[in-house]
Amino acid sequence: MSQDTIYFFWDCLQYLINGIAQGSLYAMVALGYTMVYGIIRLVNFAHGEFLMMGAFCGYFALKFNLPMPVAIIASMLGAGIVALIVERLIYRPIRGEGRIPALITAIGASMFFQYTGQLVFGADPKTVRPVFTEVVYNFGEVNVSNIQIFIFFLTIFILIFLWWLTHYTRIGVAMRAASYNLKAAELMGINTNRIIAFTFFLGASLAGLAGILMGYTMSVEPMMGLSLGLKAFVAAVVGGIGIIPGAALGGYIIGIAENMVSGLYKSSWRDGVSFFILIIILLVRPGGILGKNSKEKV
Amino acid sequence: MSTHPILEIKNLNTYYGNIHAVKNISLSIERGEIVTLLGSNGAGKTTTLHTISGLLKATAGEINFDNQSIQNLPAHRITALGLAQSPEGRQIFANLSIKENLDMGAYLRRDNAGIKTDLEFVYNLFPKLLERRSQLAQTLSGGEQQMLAIARAYMSRPKLLLLDEPSLGIAPILVGTIFRAITEINQNGMTILLVEQNANLALKISHRAYVLTNGEITLQGKSSELLSNPEIKKAYLGN
Ligand SMILES: Nc1ncnc2c1ncn2[C@@H]1O[C@H](COP(=O)(O)OP(=O)(O)O)[C@@H](O)[C@H]1O
Ligand SMILES: [Mg+2]
């Protein structure tokens, strides 16, 4: 094998590692997207803004010299509380009015946070320091940072946690029941409004977590939710919207594809590739990779 | 024990937009009874049950359950008061296992010993459910799904159990099983409001019945008497 070929493989491995770390963060954001869709069939365009609001909470916590773990909790709680307010004041009153009004409302909520964010926080990007001091390990020609490893295992932990929650806890099984049939769940005595609110809170807090962890690659600014939200949406649809493992799979696919394409070809294609994948999936498997591709359930 | 009826409905009216589906109906159910609500397709039976359960809101009228006015409560609060429904078309959670469906029936309960007893009761009633308890509910046949829907509603240990067309669209051999189970549940002390189009069987196992026609109650009385009523025979018994 020529020297060039060997380096090509080392490069690919490096992009793969970077892609998995990036994809883990997309997965975290996509999980909330998919859970909310699963329970009320709402494509929540404001999900990226929950992430942004959470990231700002983390940013301010750090600015006030609070320790990193507190900043992480602030991000998660901040995003979760914003989601609870949006659900209660905006989404709940129009629930049952149809999907198009809900979609338009979600886009409106998203824009409200983007522009109010610019007004209140300023449009300039702000840096958030990485969760901990970055240490880079070399394996042959590839580099892996402790942050990447942390993010990867954290995402795996979150997936296991969500599996446990939805299969072994009363509220989690109720979430699955409600996502299948809201009215029947209500007949069981399940307060479905509370289950929906809890789902929003949980999904948004994962977005907030991703928001602050992203500090190691990108800055915090009011429009950050736009592209991240879109990518998470693409990830959720690619994996099969409404399906929790699908969101994770979609996140990894988008993260890896982006890093491969921008590394091996052109970095300007980075954002385009996720939409390319989306179009292919919608043509080949409209229900997503893990989706049933049958008529949508109730 | 109170001598008031467990359920008392007075001048109830429910609309879907402009459609007046339930027109000024009044009915009452005594503790321990099986009461049948009879009516052909589109008569307003499901609408009545949904209004009682709180899935639909009445525009006028009163619903008193166990000495309490319930017409303004959300559905989950009404279930908490001890009123459960096995809805039309079964509406089981197909994505959950059979056991998880039953757990959801018992969602509001904390008395583990009582839950265990009731679980044994429904498994005894419908052994198929025990056999397949860890399988997804979507793998059940229509008749088995109906058994699950009844068992799930039973698991909340309600004071009043509403059953919406439990014999609809299921294999004839299973219809007998379902009706025997309904009788057994009633003999176990549970009051039942049974909605049916299968007038013959429903009137045979119930104590009293109401007939709903175009959203109005047109006839009521003892089931045994209605069985021999010429009007009923003509309209619902096919002879
Ligand atoms: N969701 C709905 N929207 C509008 N009309 C409805 C709806 N559901 C039922 N109806 C109408 O209300 C009337 C009563 O329906 P329903 O209560 O389902 O009757 P039944 O259960 O006795 O067959 C029918 O005329 C039916 O067409
Ligand atoms: Mg009906």
Side-chain angles (χ1 to χ4, degrees):
Chain A
M1 246 194 293
S2 78
Q3 198 72 346
D4 275 2
T5 320
I6 292 168
Y7 273 105
F8 174 78
F9 282 115
W10 280 122
D11 280 351
C12 282
L13 191 57
Q14 182 68 61
Y15 302 139
L16 182 68
I17 288 165
N18 295 349
I20 289 172
Q22 183 90 44
S24 297
L25 293 175
Y26 290 158
M28 266 184 228
V29 189
L31 283 170
Y33 232 119
T34 233
M35 288 192 294
V36 163
Y37 182 86
I39 207 150
I40 52 170
R41 307 292 181 270
L42 168 72
V43 175
N44 175 24
F45 272 107
H47 189 62
E49 280 58 50
F50 297 166
L51 176 152
M52 179 271 288
M53 294 297 286
F56 267 102
C57 289
Y59 165 77
F60 284 115
L62 291 173
K63 211 176 159 190
F64 290 116
N65 288 321
L66 293 167
M68 185 50 92
V70 177
I72 290 177
I73 290 168
S75 293
M76 296 179 73
L77 278 182
I81 289 166
V82 168
L84 282 181
I85 294 169
V86 169
E87 193 278 323
R88 185 68 191 85
L89 295 185
I90 303 174
Y91 292 154
R92 195 179 299 180
I94 60 141
R95 209 192 296 150
E97 301 290 333
R99 297 174 68 135
I100 301 299
L103 201 66
I104 293 168
T105 306
I107 293 171
S110 160
M111 284 162 65
F112 169 82
F113 283 105
Q114 287 166 9
Y115 295 106
T116 310
Q118 294 190 14
L119 217 58
V120 176
F121 307 132
D124 56 308
K126 294 162 176 73
T127 43
V128 168
R129 68 166 195 267
V131 258
F132 27 69
T133 320
E134 195 162 6
V135 179
V136 178
Y137 308 102
N138 302 305
F139 299 98
E141 295 294 323
V142 299
N143 302 323
V144 184
S145 83
N146 54 346
I147 295 173
Q148 289 180 321
I149 295 170
F150 172 72
I151 288 171
F152 176 75
F153 283 107
L154 182 62
T155 306
I156 301 296
F157 170 79
I158 288 168
L159 285 171
I160 293 169
F161 167 78
L162 289 177
W163 173 261
W164 169 81
L165 180 83
T166 53
H167 288 82
Y168 297 98
T169 69
R170 185 167 160 270
I171 191 170
V173 179
M175 282 169 78
R176 280 162 61 220
S179 80
Y180 189 80
N181 189 334
L182 222 43
K183 279 190 176 165
E186 193 66 25
L187 284 180
M188 301 298 107
I190 297 169
N191 183 343
T192 53
N193 278 335
R194 203 176 285 167
I195 296 286
I196 291 166
F198 175 75
T199 306
F200 267 87
F201 180 85
L202 185 65
S205 64
L206 293 177
L209 175 63
I212 190 163
L213 294 179
M214 276 172 191
Y216 89 110
T217 52
M218 62 185 289
S219 44
V220 172
E221 45 102 5
M223 301 299 284
M224 73 190 291
L226 184 58
S227 71
L228 285 170
L230 273 175
K231 277 175 196 169
F233 170 67
V234 172
V237 173
V238 165
I241 194 151
I243 303 164
I244 287 178
L249 180 65
Y252 284 117
I253 290 174
I254 300 299
I256 292 167
E258 277 188 355
N259 278 273
M260 288 285 180
V261 168
S262 69
L264 297 173
Y265 186 56
K266 280 183 187 159
S267 60
S268 57
W269 278 56
R270 191 184 182 93
D271 289 338
V273 69
S274 50
F275 296 103
F276 180 72
I277 293 173
L278 176 67
I279 290 164
I280 298 291
I281 291 290
L282 288 180
L283 289 175
V284 184
R285 272 185 82 85
I289 296 171
L290 300 184
K292 287 206 188 62
N293 291 295
S294 59
K295 197 172 113 269
E296 196 173 306
K297 57 190 185 184
V298 189
Chain B
M1 201 185 256
S2 164
T3 51
H4 289 287
I6 183 81
L7 184 77
E8 191 158 35
I9 294 176
K10 286 184 196 147
N11 307 320
L12 191 72
N13 288 275
T14 307
Y15 287 78
Y16 297 101
N18 299 324
I19 303 168
H20 196 177
V22 168
K23 297 168 190 159
N24 220 37
I25 72 166
S26 298
L27 62 83
S28 75
I29 301 174
E30 301 294 332
R31 285 160 210 272
E33 281 190 307
I34 299 182
V35 172
T36 295
L37 184 58
L38 217 56
S40 47
N41 222 352
K45 306 181 296 297
T46 298
T47 308
T48 304
L49 291 198
H50 278 8
T51 312
I52 297 171
S53 281
L55 291 176
L56 289 170
K57 290 295 158 212
T59 38
E62 270 178 53
I63 309 172
N64 285 301
F65 172 68
D66 204 17
N67 303 322
Q68 190 177 344
S69 158
I70 61 167
Q71 70 265 30
N72 295 319
L73 295 180
H76 66 93
R77 292 274 310 280
I78 292 171
T79 306
L81 292 175
L83 198 162
Q85 184 185 155
S86 164
E88 183 179 61
R90 311 183 278 266
Q91 314 286 333
I92 54 152
F93 304 116
N95 60 331
L96 266 54
S97 74
I98 286 146
K99 174 62 169 47
E100 284 173 329
N101 269 274
L102 296 172
D103 288 344
M104 288 296 101
Y107 183 77
L108 294 170
R109 296 176 65 178
R110 291 283 190 274
D111 58 322
N112 290 333
I115 293 174
K116 197 160 167 275
T117 312
D118 291 339
L119 204 53
E120 272 162 22
F121 178 79
V122 297
Y123 281 153
N124 200 30
L125 212 51
F126 305 121
K128 245 306 167 316
L129 299 181
L130 173 65
E131 230 173 83
R132 307 186 55 182
R133 64 187 179 282
S134 53
Q135 291 175 30
L136 287 184
Q138 68 192 14
T139 63
L140 295 176
S141 73
E144 292 162 353
Q145 291 189 8
Q146 186 60 62
M147 295 172 189
L148 179 58
I150 295 170
R152 184 182 65 172
Y154 179 91
M155 284 308 293
S156 68
R157 207 51 157 76
K159 294 172 193 148
L160 174 64
L161 178 61
L162 313 182
L163 302 174
D164 198 348
E165 301 216 36
S167 71
L168 187 69
I170 66 176
I173 39 161
L174 291 180
V175 173
T177 312
I178 302 261
F179 274 83
R180 269 192 302 279
I182 295 170
T183 309
E184 203 169 318
I185 288 172
N186 175 249
Q187 281 162 356
N188 205 25
M190 204 173 279
T191 311
I192 293 172
L193 174 57
L194 172 65
V195 159
E196 262 301 337
Q197 289 191 55
N198 190 333
N200 189 24
L201 274 174
L203 290 176
K204 274 182 184 144
I205 68 161
S206 60
H207 304 96
R208 288 188 305 120
Y210 292 85
V211 178
L212 201 56
T213 318
N214 290 326
E216 289 176 276
I217 288 182
T218 48
L219 208 58
Q220 65 186 77
K222 280 194 174 151
S223 298
S224 52
E225 285 166 13
L226 289 181
L227 260 176
S228 51
N229 179 311
E231 265 180 71
I232 297 281
K233 276 188 167 172
K234 190 157 159 268
Y236 302 101
L237 301 174
N239 58 349

